[in-house]
């Protein structure tokens, strides 16, 4: 399963990175997109998928002074949820990270290392969607308090001008 295309406020978005974790019949798919949209507006986000999607969760960030350059993307996908990766962020850079998991039982909480957690939510009993940001070169981990059946982590470094 992938996102084929996305528009943000009617502006075609560009895929920055994606990662997928598959276990049995379950899938956690993460992708990060960007579009230059006018400031101060509310925008409708439209996604087109490669196949039918059961659940879709989104988080939206705005950036200023981003020069449009993406550094080397780091990701991890692990059926046991031990998510870790290393990313290099330039002196004036930043990073946006997202993680998602699915369990067969109750959902745990996400704990980030190396990044500042911005949100963590469990929209349904056995799913978690979490995001974080950072401004230094670092090793990134996202650990869940319960062992997920599948999980994925995506970290995208951005060059800032």
């Amino acid at each position: 399963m992938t996102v084929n295309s996305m528009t943000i406020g009617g502006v075609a978005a560009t895929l920055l990175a994606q990662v997928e974790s598959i276990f049995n019949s379950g899938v956690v798919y993460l992708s990060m997109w960007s579009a230059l949209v006018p400031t101060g507006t509310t925008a409708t986000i439209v996604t087109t998928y490669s196949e039918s999607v059961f659940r879709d969760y989104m988080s939206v960030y705005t950036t200023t002074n981003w020069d449009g350059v993406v550094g080397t993307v780091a990701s991890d996908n692990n059926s046991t949820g031990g998510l870790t990766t290393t990313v290099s962020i330039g002196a004036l850079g930043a990073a946006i990270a997202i993680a998602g998991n699915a369990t067969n039982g109750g959902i745990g909480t996400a704990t980030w290392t190396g990044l500042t957690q911005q949100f963590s939510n469990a929209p349904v009993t056995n799913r978690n969607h979490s995001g974080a940001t950072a401004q230094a070169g670092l090793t990134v981990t996202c650990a869940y308090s319960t062992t997920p059946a599948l999980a994925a982590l995506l970290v995208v470094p951005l060059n800032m001008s």
Side-chain angles (χ1 to χ4, degrees):
M1 195 259 334
T2 60
V3 175
N4 289 339
S5 65
M6 180 180 293
T7 60
I8 303 171
V11 176
T14 301
L15 176 66
L16 300 179
Q18 61 188 341
V19 64
E20 183 177 61
S21 178
I22 301 172
F23 182 72
N24 292 333
S25 62
V27 175
V28 171
Y29 170 79
L30 305 173
S31 64
M32 200 169 299
W33 295 73
S34 74
L36 294 172
V37 296
T39 60
T41 61
T42 301
T44 299
I45 300 172
V46 178
T47 54
T48 303
Y49 295 93
S50 61
E51 60 189 75
S52 178
V53 174
F54 182 61
R55 290 189 178 101
D56 179 17
Y57 311 116
M58 286 192 185
S59 55
V60 178
Y61 290 89
T62 60
T63 61
T64 54
N65 301 322
W66 177 40
D67 65 10
V69 176
V70 174
T72 302
V73 172
S75 64
D76 187 16
N77 57 351
N78 189 325
S79 63
T80 61
L83 301 170
T84 186
T85 193
T86 301
V87 63
S88 178
I89 303 170
L92 297 176
I96 298 174
I98 52 176
N101 79 0
T103 67
N104 294 322
I107 193 69
T109 56
T111 303
W112 290 88
T113 303
L115 296 149
T116 302
Q117 183 171 315
Q118 301 298 321
F119 69 91
S120 183
N121 58 47
V124 294
T125 303
N126 60 348
R127 301 288 186 267
N128 184 280
H129 178 221
S130 185
T133 57
Q135 286 187 308
L138 47 94
T139 296
V140 175
T141 62
C142 181
Y144 288 98
S145 60
T146 58
T147 301
L150 60 149
L153 168 68
L154 182 62
V155 184
V156 177
L158 308 174
N159 292 337
M160 310 303 270
S161 57

